[in-house]
Amino acid sequence: MSGQAESAIQGQGRVGKVFGYAAMVAVLAVIAVPLFWIVVTSFKAHDHIYVRPAEYLPIPFTPENYSDVTTRIPFFAYFRNSVIITFFTAGIKIVLGVLSAYALSLLRFPGRGILFVVILAALMVPNQITIISNFALVAQLGWKNTFQGIIIPLAGVAFGTFLMRNQFLSLPHEIIEAARMDGAGPFKLLWRVVMPLSWPTLVAFSLITIVNEWNEYLWPFLMSDDERTAPLQVGLTMLQNNDGVTNWGPVMAGTVLTILPVLILFLVLQRQMIKGLTSGAVKS
Amino acid sequence: MSSLASTADGADSGPVTTSVGDRRDQKRDPRVPFGPPPLRRAGRKGEWLLAAGLLIPNLALLFVFVYRPLLDNIRLSFTDWNISSPQANYIGFANYVEWFGRDDTKTVFFNTAVFTIATVVLSMALGLALALLLDQKLKGRNLVRSVVFAPFVISGAAIGVAFQFVFDPSFGLIQDLLAKIGVASPDFYQKPGWALFMVTATYIWKNLGYSFVIYLAALQARRGDLDEAAEIDGASKWTHFRKVLLPQLRPTTFFLSITVLLSSVQVFDIIYAMTRGGPIGNGTMTLVFQVYHETFVNQRAGYGATVATVMFLILLVVTAVQVRFMDREQRA
């Protein structure tokens, strides 16, 4: 996000600058203070959570909440399930997205435009409208509480196909044509010519997919009853259910552990992630 | 073959522009995006087979798990199916009659409308305001940009769980901040109106970053010369914003109004984690939540399918109106 084109509302005086910084601080506070609150609570001792006025520093420092949450619920099983579900769903989506995009951009065949629209239109169908019938189908197959039951219904890819197709279409034709004249077959062309020129877009697409699958809630929630297949997010809301009155220390520790992997990924690779989101939006 | 000789004319600049070259295709139907000019003679059998092989897995998944259930859902809405029994009886429009006649329909519809309108309007307006702010040359703006976008990547279920305690009327963060200025905390847990406020605010907090980055990218890609012209003309900032900036951002606003609406109508995780649709039965029940609740909690899949179908029709109409509105705007 390097801004070559600086703001229109530029060149304002000192008052504007002061106002700008004040607004920035306010925004930071609104976003960061709740996050700070979550982290602090996760390190608080039980009787320091339920006090008024609230305490903003975790004294005494209580990392036991973290060991607590990993022993009171099968935390590592949930974590493993999250990793498995994310890895396979995202993996299948990325492969299918690239292959579909390749066919829709670099091959010519009748009905190509229509098929592209058919794939893209899937974006307009909310998941929630499909859950009842999909639930019935998956239950019939005996796939409840299985990983394939969670993964396969989520594996069709519309957004990624759109993103990668646009990327492939933006490649210079001369390069592709030259490779073809050199006798490169379709898969060699894809692997040796098209993909090396498309890494940044593929990375963006992959990141968005990984984050989305990690955060997916409704479908795994319906599909899994316990720690055999339930991902972290589902485990977290089960933890919430367990205690009549929520025991916030361990629950917040669980929340932090759920959020952390994605947040780290984001902090390292935010540029690529944002590129994927915006390249589909701006100009189209 | 003029492949190597002809340079650059086909090299498309942006990642989004769809139709490249080949006027014949464009003339045939400008709305259907077509690819690059024929690289080889079209219609070769091998290519056709290869394309089929590459596309069929994805198409099959989308047909089986998106389009089939979309239609099947309509069929189910005319039955009394209970999700677990193998038997479903055709009962005509009974579910629809019930939906239109039931008392809670009004509440659910109202909740959905308030939640959706508030989240769409506020997250877009605040997103634009933040994009304008952080497009300026301010020190530390990159940090603030990251911070604003960060909640968008966090799981909605985790945010919902944690924000339940942020809003806790007895020991939460909001309660404490309000107490510092001498205000008693509203009962976010028990009062339906405040519970709806709570899930709406949480949703906006989490998803603001999306509208923000999209607007920011649009601001950075816009034409600087218009800004300069306006500055030379001595236009006031407000006039400049209304007459120069907003019109340039209109395609982005349109794009956002559809994508933000679609995702906000679909929200389930935050509501489930925070309120389970309550308090008092349906205090924060939205259409999507009702689909889940009727189908899987009350075991009335037929009725749930009816709510889902109604919701889909509403979405279809709203999106069509948005597209029409945009068309007219652009022609005007």
Side-chain angles (χ1 to χ4, degrees), chain B residues 32-96:
Chain B
V32 178
F34 265 83
L39 298 166
R40 288 183 289 179
R41 257 160 286 122
R44 281 186 35 186
K45 205 164 192 184
E47 206 155 287
W48 194 89
L49 277 175
L50 176 65
L54 294 178
L55 283 168
I56 279 172
N58 193 18
L59 281 171
L61 284 169
L62 293 176
F63 270 110
V64 174
F65 294 109
V66 178
Y67 293 116
R68 180 200 57 81
L70 180 66
L71 294 178
D72 194 36
N73 186 69
I74 297 172
R75 178 186 68 84
L76 288 171
S77 73
F78 293 104
T79 70
D80 63 354
W81 191 44
N82 73 355
I83 197 87
S84 44
S85 101
Q87 181 93 42
N89 304 307
Y90 176 78
I91 55 168
F93 280 91
N95 285 328
Y96 289 89

Side-chain angles (χ1 to χ4, degrees), chain A:
Chain A
M1 287 202 286
S2 68
Q4 327 91 316
E6 292 303 340
S7 166
I9 312 168
Q10 202 58 237
Q12 74 279 61
R14 191 168 289 168
V15 183
K17 274 262 144 70
V18 169
F19 174 79
Y21 283 110
M24 262 180 30
V25 170
V27 170
L28 264 184
V30 169
I31 305 282
V33 170
L35 290 175
F36 173 77
W37 172 258
I38 293 166
V39 174
V40 165
T41 307
S42 77
F43 286 111
K44 277 185 192 168
H46 187 267
D47 49 351
H48 288 259
I49 291 173
Y50 306 95
V51 290
R52 274 196 278 196
E55 296 171 3
Y56 285 84
L57 287 174
I59 303 167
F61 187 71
T62 315
E64 283 79 11
N65 287 329
Y66 284 84
S67 50
D68 204 30
V69 75
T70 51
T71 49
R72 266 157 35 104
I73 59 168
F75 183 87
F76 294 106
Y78 292 139
F79 189 86
R80 175 204 65 202
N81 299 340
S82 267
V83 171
I84 291 173
I85 294 168
T86 306
F87 178 81
F88 283 102
T89 316
I92 295 171
K93 276 191 154 164
I94 292 162
V95 170
L96 290 184
V98 168
L99 295 183
S100 304
Y102 182 76
L104 291 171
S105 58
L106 298 176
L107 299 177
R108 281 190 75 80
F109 55 92
R112 189 174 74 169
I114 293 164
L115 286 181
F116 177 63
V117 173
V118 166
I119 290 178
L120 199 61
L123 278 177
M124 296 294 289
V125 182
N127 280 336
Q128 284 77 353
I129 286 164
T130 61
I131 54 170
I132 302 174
S133 179
N134 278 342
F135 184 90
L137 178 67
V138 171
Q140 221 167 29
L141 291 169
W143 282 2
K144 267 205 79 189
N145 286 308
T146 66
F147 286 117
Q148 68 265 34
I150 296 175
I151 293 166
I152 291 175
L154 294 175
V157 52
F159 175 72
T161 303
F162 170 72
L163 207 63
M164 292 313 292
R165 171 187 171 274
N166 285 342
Q167 162 63 27
F168 293 166
L169 284 179
S170 75
L171 299 173
H173 306 135
E174 298 74 40
I175 296 178
I176 289 157
E177 192 62 14
R180 277 180 168 152
M181 286 177 64
D182 286 348
F187 287 103
K188 196 175 173 196
L189 179 71
L190 174 65
W191 192 246
R192 290 288 175 76
V193 181
V194 172
M195 288 317 293
L197 292 169
S198 306
W199 284 125
T201 309
L202 184 74
V203 169
F205 162 38
S206 307
L207 279 172
I208 292 171
T209 309
I210 288 168
V211 168
N212 277 342
E213 300 316 320
W214 181 267
N215 292 340
E216 179 68 39
Y217 186 75
L218 179 58
W219 185 248
F221 165 75
L222 293 174
M223 275 296 106
S224 46
D225 298 325
D226 52 42
E227 73 269 14
R228 280 173 296 167
T229 54
L232 261 181
Q233 284 73 11
V234 176
L236 200 61
T237 49
M238 284 182 187
L239 176 69
Q240 208 187 6
N241 280 350
N242 285 348
D243 319 308
V245 177
T246 310
N247 187 2
W248 281 110
V251 171
M252 285 302 194
T255 310
V256 171
L257 291 175
T258 308
I259 291 175
L260 216 51
V262 172
L263 217 49
I264 292 172
L265 193 70
F266 164 73
L267 287 176
V268 179
L269 296 163
Q270 52 171 313
R271 234 165 248 279
Q272 287 83 343
M273 213 181 277
I274 288 167
K275 178 180 182 280
L277 280 175
T278 53
S279 65
V282 180
K283 287 202 276 184
S284 66

Side-chain angles (χ1 to χ4, degrees), chain B residues 10-27:
Chain B
D12 184 13
S13 53
V16 191
T17 326
T18 40
S19 45
V20 185
D22 203 343
R23 292 217 183 80
R24 236 187 27 234
D25 279 351
Q26 285 184 334
K27 225 180 255 170

